[in-house]
Amino acid sequence: MSFILKNVDKSFISQGKELEVVKNINISVQDGEFLSLVGPSGCGKTTILRMLAGLDYPSEGEISENGEPVTGPSPNRGFVFQQYSLFPWRTVLDNIAFGPEVRGVDTEDRYQNARNYIEMVGLSGFENSHPHELSGGMKQRVAIARALANDPLSLLMDEPFAALDVMTRHKLQEELVRIWQEEHKTIIFVTHNVDEAVFLADRVVVLSKSPGEIIESFQIELERIRDRTSPEFIDLKKNITSLLEK
């Protein structure tokens, strides 16, 4: 087992009033599973992801990782944000090597590791480029490689492709599936895009509008790489979309 969320509620104080964001969240995530959280804006998807990362904490309930309570950030969990969050003064190579550098990995090993991930995400030849010289899709590839370079057990991804054009987004979705199949990481992926969720995930958990509660969970058993035009794919999209529109 990778993660367990048990009876998780989260509230914030806003303008002196308690604002309930998510309610009664119960999810078990298996090792190596690709899980997607889908729901309307403001339903608490990112809040759930932040709690899994140890960047925030439940108001009620429990979150555990491999049987241990999540009490704060951990190198076991890589986080990929919607914004690229790259160091503008560092090259692609240096950005990806940053985590191992902080952990004290020696120079030769961390740079060889970084080069391996540069090749994996298709950025060979751009090792010495700076973020301002890269397209949005290339920056997000760097962000994914930087998260993977720490060799986390799980990868938490917060709408990482939302700002990209459709063609680039589809390409990176295919690349992410390939990387996941090679790396065998647990991935929890937040999106409001139903097509993206069905294309990527083993399982799609659908959340209601705020306060976010689980409406339904869909096991996606379509063969990868998935055909977006197949009747099965389209039916799954329709079923999930109809739930979100109610």
Side-chain angles (χ1 to χ4, degrees), residues 60-112:
E60 299 287 342
E62 303 172 357
I63 299 178
S64 61
E65 178 188 30
N66 297 321
E68 297 294 328
V70 174
T71 58
S74 166
N76 287 338
R77 294 170 236 124
F79 204 114
V80 180
F81 298 88
Q82 183 173 342
Q83 301 301 321
Y84 314 117
S85 302
L86 303 178
F87 299 122
W89 60 89
R90 281 181 169 247
T91 64
V92 167
L93 186 65
D94 286 332
N95 263 288
I96 295 170
F98 175 74
E101 178 183 339
V102 170
R103 297 198 335 265
V105 176
D106 71 72
T107 302
E108 184 177 352
D109 285 348
R110 71 174 180 261
Y111 279 114
Q112 183 56 52

Side-chain angles (χ1 to χ4, degrees), residues 10-241:
K10 179 63 179 178
S11 299
F12 295 104
I13 301 299
S14 176
Q15 298 180 344
K17 296 181 180 180
E18 186 177 52
L19 177 64
E20 194 173 28
V21 180
V22 295
K23 183 178 179 181
N24 194 33
I25 300 297
N26 289 277
I27 305 173
S28 295
V29 186
Q30 301 290 331
D31 286 333
E33 184 176 10
F34 198 132
L35 179 90
S36 186
L37 299 175
V38 176
S41 297
C43 74
K45 302 185 298 294
T46 294
T47 298
I48 293 171
L49 205 67
R50 287 178 57 83
M51 290 190 291
L52 287 166
L55 300 173
D56 210 334
Y57 305 97
S59 303
E60 299 287 342
E62 303 172 357
I63 299 178
S64 61
E65 178 188 30
N66 297 321
E68 297 294 328
V70 174
T71 58
S74 166
N76 287 338
R77 294 170 236 124
F79 204 114
V80 180
F81 298 88
Q82 183 173 342
Q83 301 301 321
Y84 314 117
S85 302
L86 303 178
F87 299 122
W89 60 89
R90 281 181 169 247
T91 64
V92 167
L93 186 65
D94 286 332
N95 263 288
I96 295 170
F98 175 74
E101 178 183 339
V102 170
R103 297 198 335 265
V105 176
D106 71 72
T107 302
E108 184 177 352
D109 285 348
R110 71 174 180 261
Y111 279 114
Q112 183 56 52
N113 182 56
R115 289 187 181 93
N116 291 340
Y117 281 107
I118 284 171
E119 183 176 357
M120 177 178 285
V121 299
L123 286 176
S124 297
F126 293 90
E127 293 87 346
N128 297 316
S129 299
H130 287 81
H132 73 273
E133 300 174 293
L134 306 176
S135 68
M138 294 168 76
K139 289 176 185 176
Q140 202 56 283
R141 288 171 187 258
V142 177
I144 292 168
R146 186 173 66 175
L148 290 170
N150 267 330
D151 195 24
L153 299 177
S154 57
L155 201 58
L156 309 175
M157 308 186 77
D158 187 12
E159 301 197 56
F161 307 145
L164 304 176
D165 65 85
V166 172
M167 294 302 295
T168 302
R169 187 163 68 242
H170 285 184
K171 177 63 176 175
L172 287 186
Q173 289 167 1
E174 292 179 8
E175 288 295 308
L176 180 60
V177 169
R178 179 183 59 79
I179 291 168
W180 168 72
Q181 290 173 326
E182 291 180 10
E183 292 285 295
H184 309 293
K185 306 292 185 188
T186 303
I187 296 181
I188 302 177
F189 190 102
V190 160
T191 182
H192 63 271
N193 186 309
V194 174
D195 181 275
E196 181 167 68
V198 174
F199 184 83
L200 291 173
D202 293 322
R203 180 162 50 117
V204 176
V205 174
V206 183
L207 299 174
S208 70
K209 64 181 181 180
S210 184
E213 297 183 79
I214 295 175
I215 303 173
E216 195 166 334
S217 180
F218 291 81
Q219 198 72 34
I220 312 296
E221 297 179 347
L222 304 179
E223 186 176 345
R224 293 182 171 90
I225 294 288
R226 290 172 178 160
D227 179 2
R228 300 175 198 268
T229 65
S230 73
E232 296 84 0
F233 191 99
I234 293 169
D235 284 345
L236 279 164
K237 283 177 58 178
K238 286 180 179 178
N239 291 339
I240 295 171
T241 301

